[in-house]
Amino acid sequence: MTPGLIADSIVNLCGAIGLAVAMLTLYRRDPRSPLTRRLVMALGLIALLFLMRGIAWWSGSDVLDNGSMIPAALIPLGALLVTEGILRRHAPCAAKIAILTGGIVLGLAGAIGPERFATPYAVLLVLFQLVGFAVCAWLLATRDQATLMASENRSIGRLAVGAVLVIPFIFTDFRVLMPDIPVRLGALGALLVVTAILIAERGAETQRQALLMTLLRLSGSALLGMAAAFVAPDVDAAQVMRFCAIAIAGVLTIGLAVDALRAHFEAQVPGVLNSVAASPATTRDALIAELARHPIFESARRYREDELRAYDPPLLREFLSEVRVLRRAAAPWGRTLSDPAVERVMSLLAANHATHLIVLSHDPIDVIALAVPVISADPATETALALVRRLLALTPETA
C-alpha cells in the first residue's frame, strides 16, 4: 500500500465512524421526526460509502471499491429527500424520477463497469452529483419563506453555506480527476459539515462555545499532524498534508463521539434542575428534601432566623437583602473583610465547611449553606443554584 492509500483509508474510516455517531446523536434528539429519519438515511448512505471505500483501499478489494459507487451515486437522492423534509413538501416528480433513475443506473454501472471507462464515469458521476445538489439548492432558494419558521430559514442558510464549502472536498475524492492530490478529503469535509450542523442546533451562547472548542480541536490536530509528519526522515509537503488530514479527521471523530457520550451520560444522571422539574413536592421543605438526594445538595443545611441568633440576625438581614447566592470564593462581596456582616457570613460558611449560601429570604432570614465540590464548581452549576434559589423562594412553606 502506498502512503496515499493508507491516508485515504484512515480518513474515510474516521468519516464513517463520525457520521455514524452523528446519526445516533440526531436520532436520540428526536427519533419520531420525519426530518430526522431522512437525515439519518442520507448520512447512512454517506457513511456506507466511506466505510466501503476505507475497507476497500485498505484491503485492496476491487469488489468493495466498485461497489462503493452505488451509495456514491445515491447521495443526490438522499440530499433531495432531506430537502423535501426541510421544506415539508414534495419535490417535482420529474426531478425525483430523474435523480432516482440516474442514481440506480450510475451506481450499477460503477459497480460492474469495465476499468477503461473509469475516467469518463468519474466525470459523469461528478456532474450527476453537482446537478442533484443544484436541484436541491434551487428548491431551497425558491422556497416560500413565510411557510417556514425563522429558525428553519436560518438552518437552511447554514446548510447552504456548508454545502458550498464541502464541494471542493468532494472533488478530491475523484483521483482520476485530481491524480496529484496527496489525500482524498471528502470524508473530512463531511465531518466538518456534520460538526457544524450539530453546533447550529444549540443555543446562541452554546454555539459560540462549541465553535471555539471546534476551532481549538482543528488547529491543535493540524499542528499535531504537522509535528508527527516530521518524524519521518523523508518528509515532504504531501506527507505533511496526509498527516494533518489524518489527525484532523481523527480528532473530529473523537470529538463527536465524546460529545455524544457526554450527552448520553448526562441524560442518564439527571442534573439538579431536572430533579427540581420532576419533583412532586408542593412545599419548600419537601422540595429541599428532594434536592438533598442530588450530590450537590448532600451537604446542604437550612437555617432559619431563630437558629442564627449567634450571628446577629439584624445585621445579617441588612446584608442579605442585597444578595441572592453568596460564593465563598467571591468574598468579601463588595465590602471589606473587616465588615461585621462579612465576618459573620464567613463564620457561618466556615462552621458548615460551605462554599455557597443560598438566600431564600432576608426578612425573616431563611438560608441554605452547602458545599459544592470543586470538580462541580463551574458556570453551569452556578446558574443552576441561582435558578434553584428562585424556585425555592417561590415555593410556599405549606401546601
Side-chain angles (χ1 to χ4, degrees):
M1 289 179 64
T2 64
L5 273 180
I6 294 174
D8 291 341
S9 300
I10 295 174
V11 171
N12 273 265
L13 290 174
C14 287
I17 296 171
L19 292 188
V21 172
M23 291 164 59
L24 292 173
T25 300
L26 292 170
Y27 184 80
R28 184 183 58 82
R29 288 181 178 179
D30 191 0
R32 298 181 181 275
S33 169
L35 179 57
T36 299
R37 291 196 292 268
R38 291 168 182 257
L39 274 171
V40 168
M41 189 193 71
L43 291 177
L45 271 176
I46 303 173
L48 178 61
L49 167 64
F50 294 151
L51 179 64
M52 294 178 70
R53 281 181 173 177
I55 296 175
W57 295 335
W58 190 273
S59 63
S61 172
D62 291 334
V63 174
L64 278 177
D65 194 13
N66 293 335
S68 67
M69 293 299 103
I70 295 176
L74 292 176
I75 287 176
L77 177 62
L80 184 63
L81 293 177
V82 172
T83 301
E84 287 184 327
I86 293 174
L87 298 177
R88 297 197 296 273
R89 64 184 178 88
H90 289 288
C93 187
K96 293 173 74 172
I97 293 175
I99 290 177
L100 175 61
T101 304
I104 294 174
V105 171
L106 281 175
L108 293 176
I112 61 178
E115 185 66 26
R116 66 178 182 273
F117 295 125
T119 299
Y121 175 81
V123 173
L124 190 59
L125 181 58
V126 169
L127 292 176
F128 176 70
Q129 289 183 340
L130 290 178
V131 169
F133 296 150
V135 170
C136 296
W138 176 75
L139 291 173
L140 293 173
T142 58
R143 70 189 185 277
D144 183 1
Q145 296 191 22
T147 62
L148 301 175
M149 296 184 294
S151 59
E152 291 175 322
N153 285 311
R154 286 195 300 270
S155 296
I156 291 173
R158 296 180 184 128
L159 190 62
V161 172
V164 171
L165 293 178
V166 81
I167 288 177
F169 291 90
I170 294 175
F171 276 112
T172 66
D173 273 0
F174 296 91
R175 198 174 285 278
V176 294
L177 302 180
M178 303 181 69
D180 297 326
I181 193 76
V183 58
R184 298 180 233 212
L185 301 174
L188 181 57
L191 285 172
L192 290 171
V193 170
V194 296
T195 300
I197 289 174
L198 294 177
I199 290 175
E201 295 298 319
R202 306 179 184 182
E205 184 63 27
T206 311
Q207 279 183 16
R208 285 189 288 270
Q209 295 171 356
L211 181 59
L212 288 175
M213 290 176 62
T214 301
L215 291 176
L216 178 61
R217 288 171 177 171
L218 291 175
S219 57
S221 57
L223 291 173
L224 178 62
M226 292 176 63
F230 284 96
V231 173
D234 56 344
V235 63
D236 56 13
Q239 194 73 343
V240 170
M241 185 174 177
R242 293 186 189 106
F243 272 84
C244 288
I246 291 171
I248 293 174
V251 168
L252 285 176
T253 301
I254 293 170
L256 289 169
V258 169
D259 291 344
L261 281 174
R262 182 189 296 118
H264 174 72
F265 292 149
E266 288 176 353
Q268 298 300 310
V269 183
V272 61
L273 293 180
N274 302 82
S275 301
V276 173
S279 173
T282 57
T283 65
R284 188 176 295 178
D285 282 332
L287 189 54
I288 292 174
E290 188 76 25
L291 284 170
R293 300 178 184 177
H294 195 276
I296 292 179
F297 280 85
E298 282 180 342
S299 63
R301 180 178 174 184
R302 184 182 183 185
Y303 286 94
R304 292 181 174 86
E305 185 164 320
D306 58 353
E307 300 174 88
L308 297 172
R309 291 172 184 168
Y311 296 93
D312 195 349
L315 189 63
L316 287 179
R317 276 199 297 271
E318 184 272 331
F319 176 65
L320 297 179
S321 65
E322 305 171 1
V323 295
R324 298 294 179 265
V325 179
L326 287 173
R327 294 172 57 242
R328 185 178 61 192
W333 309 292
R335 301 193 179 195
T336 63
L337 286 171
S338 59
D339 186 290
V342 172
E343 290 179 344
R344 283 158 177 76
V345 172
M346 291 295 291
S347 177
L348 177 60
L349 292 172
N352 292 273
H353 305 286
T355 60
H356 291 70
L357 190 71
I358 299 176
V359 182
L360 304 180
S361 170
H362 72 279
D363 190 12
I365 298 174
D366 189 359
V367 297
I368 296 176
L370 73 156
V372 176
V374 65
I375 58 174
S376 301
D378 56 15
T381 300
E382 299 295 338
T383 302
L385 291 178
L387 291 173
V388 167
R389 180 262 160 199
R390 179 178 287 272
L391 291 171
L392 287 172
L394 295 174
T395 303
E397 287 283 359
T398 57

